[in-house]
Amino acid sequence: MDTKSQSRLLQLPDELILMILEFAIVEDEPLLLNCGCDSSYESEEEWEEDETLWQDGEKHSPYQPAISRTCAVLRSVALRMFYRENAFRAHYCYAVDVGVAISWLQCIGPKNRSLLRDVCFWDKNAQYDAQSPRELVKLKRSEVARDMGGRIENVSTEESTCHHVIFDDSDENAHYELVPQLFRGGED
């Protein structure tokens, strides 16, 4: 590739490019796919305020990172990093719209879903499944498991209930073996 037409970012050493991408893409806190359950808030007013922000579109499911829209090489690596390295959370109690999270999962497509390593439908109330078993049944029968190939595994603690969704059983450690090749014009 002609260095005059190549991005200056791609002219940096691979390790530095990865550090920049990680800084720009990976979040410390889980990315929310829908508005939280009322049990996740200190007060009902706080929950209603947040729900309004979601309904008005001021809060939304995560967008692909802007840096992934700069060039094909960066897109390939950035999206892999975005979906593999971030945690994604969706609430599933009676008070939330699970459809928002399911729509996001549909929208990202099967290739990106297979990259997800930490996606979880959860409720802060650890007793929720026992109190409202129909919501869990609806989740297990939803498009997540039925049409998208997700497998739901239950994880409960004293503080919360989490239903991890696994879309792919591939080796979680096989992240970036091809990254240097991608940056230098190798094949994916």
Side-chain angles (χ1 to χ4, degrees), residues 35-39 47 51 92-98 123 128 135:
C35 183
C37 296
D38 52 359
S39 62
W47 173 68
E51 184 180 40
Y92 71 96
C93 74
Y94 70 92
V96 301
D97 184 2
V98 175
D123 192 282
Y128 184 73
E135 296 302 318

Side-chain angles (χ1 to χ4, degrees), residues 8-82:
R8 288 184 183 209
L9 179 60
L10 294 176
Q11 294 173 10
L12 296 172
D14 294 340
E15 296 80 13
L16 191 52
I17 296 171
L18 285 175
M19 288 172 57
I20 291 168
L21 288 175
E22 184 175 355
F23 181 75
I25 294 170
V26 179
E27 298 291 333
D28 293 335
E29 297 294 320
L31 301 172
L32 299 180
L33 302 181
N34 61 3
C35 183
C37 296
D38 52 359
S39 62
S40 301
Y41 295 87
E42 297 292 323
S43 68
E44 189 169 332
E45 293 81 23
E46 186 181 347
W47 173 68
E48 289 172 352
E49 184 180 305
D50 203 36
E51 184 180 40
T52 300
L53 293 173
W54 278 86
Q55 289 173 351
D56 293 346
E58 292 180 46
K59 283 191 173 183
H60 48 76
S61 301
Y63 297 130
Q64 292 178 338
I67 199 166
S68 71
R69 295 187 290 272
T70 57
C71 72
V73 173
L74 284 176
R75 181 170 182 75
S76 175
V77 177
L79 289 182
R80 245 189 277 177
M81 186 179 285
F82 177 69

Side-chain angles (χ1 to χ4, degrees), residues 48-164:
E48 289 172 352
E49 184 180 305
D50 203 36
E51 184 180 40
T52 300
L53 293 173
W54 278 86
Q55 289 173 351
D56 293 346
E58 292 180 46
K59 283 191 173 183
H60 48 76
S61 301
Y63 297 130
Q64 292 178 338
I67 199 166
S68 71
R69 295 187 290 272
T70 57
C71 72
V73 173
L74 284 176
R75 181 170 182 75
S76 175
V77 177
L79 289 182
R80 245 189 277 177
M81 186 179 285
F82 177 69
Y83 291 113
R84 283 183 188 257
E85 301 301 324
N86 282 308
F88 299 90
R89 298 290 178 263
H91 295 264
Y92 71 96
C93 74
Y94 70 92
V96 301
D97 184 2
V98 175
V100 172
I102 291 172
S103 293
W104 183 84
L105 288 166
Q106 288 172 328
C107 184
I108 67 170
K111 181 179 178 183
N112 290 328
R113 277 195 306 271
S114 72
L115 297 172
L116 292 169
R117 293 291 169 255
D118 188 358
V119 61
C120 179
F121 284 79
W122 75 290
D123 192 282
K124 187 174 181 179
N125 178 355
Q127 309 307 313
Y128 184 73
D129 291 341
Q131 295 167 358
S132 300
R134 283 183 279 177
E135 296 302 318
L136 179 56
V137 169
K138 283 196 294 190
L139 175 62
K140 289 184 175 182
R141 291 182 180 168
S142 74
E143 297 166 63
V144 172
R146 189 182 70 236
D147 297 335
M148 290 187 235
R151 187 178 77 248
I152 297 175
E153 293 182 354
N154 299 341
V155 178
S156 292
T157 65
E158 290 182 21
E159 299 89 35
S160 67
T161 298
C162 181
H163 301 284
H164 282 278

